[in-house]
Amino acid sequence: MAADIWHFIKDILTIKAPTKSPLALRMVVLTFSMLCGLYICSICLKQVSIRTNGGLINIEVVQRPCEPPKIEAWERAYVHYPQPKTFSRAECRCNPVRYFAILSTQRSGSGWFETLLNSHSNVSSNGEIFSVKVRRSNISTIVQTLDNIYNLDWLTSASKNECTAAVGLKWMLNQAEILARYKPMINTTLIIPNLRQVEEMTAKALQYFNSTRHIILYYEDIIKNRTKLLDVQDFLRVPQMDLKSRQVKIHKGSLSQQVENWDDIQNTLKGTPYESFLHSDYKM
Ligand SMILES: *[C@@H]1O[C@H](CO)[C@@H](O)[C@H](O)[C@H]1NC(C)=O
Ligand SMILES: *[C@@H]1O[C@H](CO)[C@@H](O)[C@H](O)[C@H]1NC(C)=O
Ligand SMILES: *[C@@H]1O[C@H](CO)[C@@H](O)[C@H](O)[C@H]1NC(C)=O
Ligand SMILES: *[C@@H]1O[C@H](CO)[C@@H](O)[C@H](O)[C@H]1NC(C)=O
Ligand SMILES: *[C@@H]1O[C@H](CO)[C@@H](O)[C@H](O)[C@H]1NC(C)=O
């Protein structure tokens, strides 16, 4: 419905990775926020009026309007009642749906986080949709793809037979592939500027979305503190469930065994604000 579309505001989940990231990240954040802005604009412009003209008889099927959900007034703008083209929401018709996007860097555990989300029967997170190049080739294809997802017409393994209450996707802040198959040699001259750059990038991204409802998640918090996942479910306003993932950690063992020149890195980070990263060993 036009009114729902008017109030299109996405909820944002941000995952921050304490790792270094490539140089192009800032540009990607900027581009992403521009795309988001454009998308929201184009959604606002696209007010579809549905008319049944022509023909001798005009039959209008009027469905009983849904009862307004029991939520605060400020939250009304965040709930939607999608009408998928590919199937009928039937008994779920009056279950409000919230839209979200997970913004994340590579190798930040967001894939694992997403499998946890998808183990919830009311949540559908559709993965890194825009890793397929043709879908991000221009603004029309991006809008079309997002429309399909948020209208629940994107049928994947993440689609639910239950009533979906939160639907979203994952968007990488950088498209660069940093595969951790080998032991990286970290440049000790660049590590501190790089860490600083990621910090700035994250601060900027948060500023772009400062007026959008969001929750910030740290990988460390999800690992160490399982009540964080309850916070996420509260944020998405879905009933609390025990979330599980079958993903396994690729890198086992201590951090010192993962980096070729660990001793140099240790010397470089000692006494800096980033010293705590040296002790960030996590067990799952
Ligand atoms: C956008 O890209 C799609 C797929 O590459 C193409 O078919 C379409 O013509 C493009 N539209 C515009 C407006 O450039
Ligand atoms: C979750 O799905 C169940 C089963 O379809 C449904 O009864 C329930 O209302 C849904 N919860 C929400 C918050 O939509
Ligand atoms: C580290 O990066 C700097 C700046 O890009 C470069 O000059 C230097 O050669 C690099 N060191 C190593 C060991 O690769
Ligand atoms: C959000 O950030 C902008 C600058 O990007 C700033 O002008 C505005 O005051 C901020 N709003 C809030 C609520 O912090
Ligand atoms: C775990 O997270 C909750 C909020 O989700 C917080 O209140 C609590 O203090 C955290 N516990 C630890 C041990 O960090």
Side-chain angles (χ1 to χ4, degrees):
M1 265 190 207
D4 293 338
I5 294 165
W6 253 110
H7 292 300
F8 178 85
I9 300 167
K10 277 185 303 218
D11 294 355
I12 304 290
L13 297 157
T14 307
I15 294 195
K16 294 207 248 179
T19 49
K20 74 184 185 75
S21 291
L23 285 158
L25 287 182
R26 277 211 241 170
M27 278 316 293
V28 176
V29 175
L30 184 68
T31 318
F32 177 79
S33 64
M34 281 168 60
L35 289 179
C36 255
L38 278 176
Y39 176 56
I40 291 165
C41 282
S42 65
I43 284 288
C44 289
L45 291 170
K46 204 182 91 187
Q47 289 202 59
V48 190
S49 64
I50 302 159
R51 278 196 206 106
T52 34
N53 284 341
L56 295 170
I57 312 164
N58 243 337
I59 302 173
E60 265 187 66
V61 180
V62 181
Q63 275 186 316
R64 205 150 38 91
C66 296
E67 267 180 46
K70 291 181 189 69
I71 55 173
E72 308 256 341
W74 68 268
E75 263 198 286
R76 296 264 156 83
Y78 293 106
V79 301
H80 310 269
Y81 298 89
Q83 298 178 335
K85 295 192 195 80
T86 46
F87 66 100
S88 161
R89 284 194 81 209
E91 73 277 11
C92 302
R93 190 174 61 92
C94 290
N95 277 53
V97 177
R98 280 156 215 272
Y99 301 162
F100 66 87
I102 305 166
L103 304 191
S104 168
T105 53
Q106 306 278 353
R107 312 296 318 149
S108 65
S110 63
W112 169 65
F113 173 65
E114 201 181 34
T115 59
L116 288 170
L117 278 186
N118 273 326
S119 74
H120 194 292
S121 50
N122 297 108
V123 182
S124 169
S125 191
N126 292 276
E128 219 183 308
I129 292 282
F130 291 98
S131 63
V132 178
K133 207 167 177 187
V134 65
R135 293 183 193 144
R136 58 182 148 89
S137 48
N138 54 48
I139 189 67
S140 343
T141 58
I142 290 173
V143 169
Q144 204 177 18
T145 305
L146 290 173
D147 273 352
N148 272 331
I149 292 165
Y150 288 130
N151 205 35
L152 304 180
D153 276 324
W154 197 270
L155 302 178
T156 65
S157 58
S159 309
K160 292 290 148 71
N161 289 326
E162 290 80 11
C163 296
T164 300
V167 61
L169 63 143
K170 198 165 72 130
W171 202 319
M172 287 293 134
L173 287 178
N174 62 315
Q175 291 288 337
E177 290 290 328
I178 309 163
L179 291 176
R181 242 178 287 137
Y182 58 94
K183 270 191 187 184
M185 171 85 101
I186 300 175
N187 187 320
T188 51
T189 322
L190 294 176
I191 183 167
I192 294 203
N194 277 346
L195 287 169
R196 215 173 275 143
Q197 196 189 11
V198 171
E199 263 182 356
E200 280 170 19
M201 175 192 80
T202 315
K204 266 210 181 127
L206 284 174
Q207 209 180 39
Y208 293 140
F209 293 106
N210 67 357
S211 56
T212 304
R213 191 172 159 254
H214 66 266
I215 179 172
I216 297 175
L217 302 171
Y218 291 92
Y219 177 73
E220 290 81 350
D221 288 341
I222 309 177
I223 290 278
K224 286 194 213 147
N225 191 345
R226 299 301 287 220
T227 70
K228 273 284 169 226
L229 288 174
L230 298 180
D231 295 349
V232 172
Q233 295 176 70
D234 289 345
F235 175 80
L236 295 173
R237 300 286 193 270
V238 296
Q240 292 189 348
M241 292 176 71
D242 189 24
L243 305 184
K244 293 190 172 60
S245 171
R246 273 184 290 184
Q247 280 211 349
V248 293
K249 203 168 189 291
I250 301 173
H251 282 148
K252 294 199 156 63
S254 72
L255 208 52
S256 55
Q257 286 163 15
Q258 312 293 340
V259 177
E260 194 73 53
N261 55 336
W262 181 253
D263 290 344
D264 298 341
I265 294 302
Q266 223 169 0
N267 290 334
T268 311
L269 292 188
K270 236 177 219 153
T272 73
Y274 308 112
E275 184 170 345
S276 64
F277 291 165
L278 294 170
H279 317 298
S280 306
D281 271 344
Y282 310 110
K283 302 229 157 42
M284 281 171 72

